[in-house]
Amino acid sequence: MSLSQSASTPKLCGLLCACTASQSEHCIDSKMAKTRLACLLTLLSTHCFLSVFAVVLRTNDESPWTDEFDRIELSCLIETISTINPRIEWKKITSGGPSYVYFDQKIIGDLENRAMIREPATLLITNATRSDTAKYRCEVTAAADEKSFDELVIDLVVRVKPVVPKCSVPKSVPFGKSAELSCVEEEGFPKSQYQWFKSNEEIPDDPKTSLKFFNSSYTLDADTGTLSFIAVRKEDAGEYFCRAKNDAGYAQCPSQKMEVYDIDVVGIVLGVLVVVVVLLCITVGICCAYKRGFFSSQKQTGNNYKVPAKGDGVDYVRTEDEGDFRHKSSFVI
């Protein structure tokens, strides 16, 4: 072996060692990759196994809504199932407890003649009413599946447009006094919120946010519909109406006029004085009439004549001329 060959030998050995180490690492990485792949395949196979032998439900909308008298779909979709003819049931859940809506392959209860089942398990309400607002539970039982039962709950809201609210507006209010305007509507669902308008312009919740109502002093409750003036001003006079609204729409009452007038203190004082004087005159007149005998219980009309007492054995006969008497023949001495 030459010197050059002996010098190159360590380099070759080093290269061979490096190649061997690289192959070892590659072998280790390959084993780890195979292990991971095996685990993944195991998980997938397990998932597929469970999917094939389990009933799983889903819905497109957990909180659907509709307006009254419209149609609405409560979707109940079966993602996986093995049983050919599963048992499907729908229940309506209210404060009084659950009640059947779909049972034994037919619609029953409140939704009878107003609903139908759209395959495989979706409930379609063709004419929704306000009483349909509730939670509904879709239940599917698959006897041939490993996981044989699944359910989901759908929260349905049927919106109802408000009716014309009842409004109360005082016709006239003294300047500086308090006043209350009320507005009530009880048919709408969800519960109505209230707005007040003056001369077709909406009254803000806070008067300080509007230049037009800046000097007014009032409180407005949008939940109860009450507009309360602490002390009315001349500028508060005008035409008022209330609007009740919710997600389904709104309704408003006819406008009513409120007047603000000044209190006439001088007129009130003069009126009180006139009443006192009249009462005083009546009292004096009654006293004078009583003193003059106009209220006496007995009155004498003409002269009262008293027949003189009869003597013993003497009969008196009264002649036509008053006071002329003569003896009867029966007079005996």
Side-chain angles (χ1 to χ4, degrees):
M1 181 180 295
S2 64
L3 182 61
S4 60
Q5 289 178 343
S6 61
S8 61
T9 300
K11 294 182 180 180
L12 181 59
C13 292
L15 180 61
L16 290 173
C17 291
C19 290
T20 304
S22 177
Q23 288 177 356
S24 299
E25 291 178 0
H26 178 72
C27 291
I28 294 173
D29 292 341
S30 178
K31 289 181 180 180
M32 292 181 64
K34 289 179 180 179
T35 304
R36 292 173 182 172
L37 181 60
C39 292
L40 180 60
L41 291 174
T42 303
L43 291 174
L44 289 175
S45 61
T46 304
H47 176 73
C48 293
F49 176 81
L50 291 176
S51 297
V52 171
F53 296 98
V55 56
V56 178
L57 305 179
R58 70 175 178 87
T59 181
N60 292 332
D61 191 353
E62 294 181 351
S63 302
W65 60 266
T66 185
D67 293 331
E68 193 173 27
F69 309 124
D70 287 349
R71 58 191 293 159
I72 184 65
E73 183 178 273
L74 309 184
S75 65
C76 182
L77 307 176
I78 302 177
E79 282 196 325
T80 60
I81 196 169
S82 296
T83 304
I84 297 176
N85 293 315
R87 187 179 69 188
I88 300 173
E89 295 176 353
W90 276 92
K91 294 178 182 178
K92 180 180 180 180
I93 305 171
T94 60
S95 58
S99 60
Y100 279 105
V101 172
Y102 180 74
F103 179 75
D104 197 17
Q105 298 183 351
K106 61 182 179 180
I107 301 293
I108 61 175
D110 296 339
L111 292 178
E112 188 175 4
N113 301 323
R114 294 193 297 116
M116 59 184 294
I117 290 294
R118 178 177 292 174
E119 294 294 337
T122 294
L123 178 66
L124 176 64
I125 302 176
T126 58
N127 184 17
T129 65
R130 64 189 67 190
S131 62
D132 296 333
T133 296
K135 294 182 182 296
Y136 292 82
R137 186 167 64 213
C138 175
E139 301 176 355
V140 176
T141 302
D145 286 60
E146 185 72 19
K147 179 178 176 291
S148 61
F149 178 81
D150 197 14
E151 66 179 22
L152 57 84
V153 177
I154 297 176
D155 190 2
L156 172 63
V157 174
V158 179
R159 305 185 310 187
V160 181
K161 181 181 177 181
V163 298
V164 176
K166 297 179 181 179
C167 302
S168 177
V169 179
K171 293 183 178 180
S172 58
V173 182
F175 177 83
K177 298 295 183 179
S178 62
E180 182 175 283
L181 287 69
S182 63
C183 181
V184 179
E185 191 281 324
E186 297 179 346
E187 297 295 325
F189 186 86
K191 189 177 183 300
S192 295
Q193 294 289 299
Y194 299 96
Q195 297 172 293
W196 275 99
F197 294 81
K198 177 191 173 187
S199 303
N200 294 322
E201 185 171 350
E202 183 179 357
I203 300 175
D205 294 338
D206 185 0
K208 303 306 179 185
T209 60
S210 172
L211 293 176
K212 189 169 184 178
F213 299 95
F214 188 82
N215 293 326
S216 297
S217 58
Y218 64 81
T219 57
L220 176 59
D221 192 333
D223 294 327
T224 62
T226 302
L227 174 62
S228 301
F229 287 93
I230 301 172
V232 296
R233 302 167 54 88
K234 286 290 186 180
E235 295 81 0
D236 296 327
E239 297 279 346
Y240 289 85
F241 71 87
C242 172
R243 175 180 295 172
K245 66 174 185 177
N246 62 11
D247 295 336
Y250 71 88
Q252 62 190 39
C253 62
S255 61
Q256 301 178 45
K257 187 176 183 179
M258 184 180 76
E259 296 181 350
V260 179
Y261 63 91
D262 294 323
I263 300 178
D264 189 1
V265 179
V266 177
I268 294 175
V269 172
L270 290 177
V272 172
L273 290 177
V274 170
V275 172
V276 171
V277 171
V278 170
L279 292 176
L280 183 60
C281 292
I282 293 173
T283 304
V284 172
I286 292 174
C287 292
C288 293
Y290 184 80
K291 288 182 178 180
R292 293 184 179 183
F294 287 101
F295 296 98
S296 178
S297 59
Q298 295 182 354
K299 295 183 179 179
Q300 296 181 355
T301 56
N303 296 325
N304 294 332
Y305 177 77
K306 184 177 182 182
V307 179
K310 294 181 181 180
D312 294 338
V314 179
D315 292 333
Y316 293 93
V317 177
R318 185 178 180 181
T319 62
E320 292 179 358
D321 295 331
E322 195 175 324
D324 185 15
F325 292 88
R326 64 183 175 85
H327 295 287
K328 291 176 66 177
S329 57
S330 62
F331 176 78
V332 179
I333 299 175

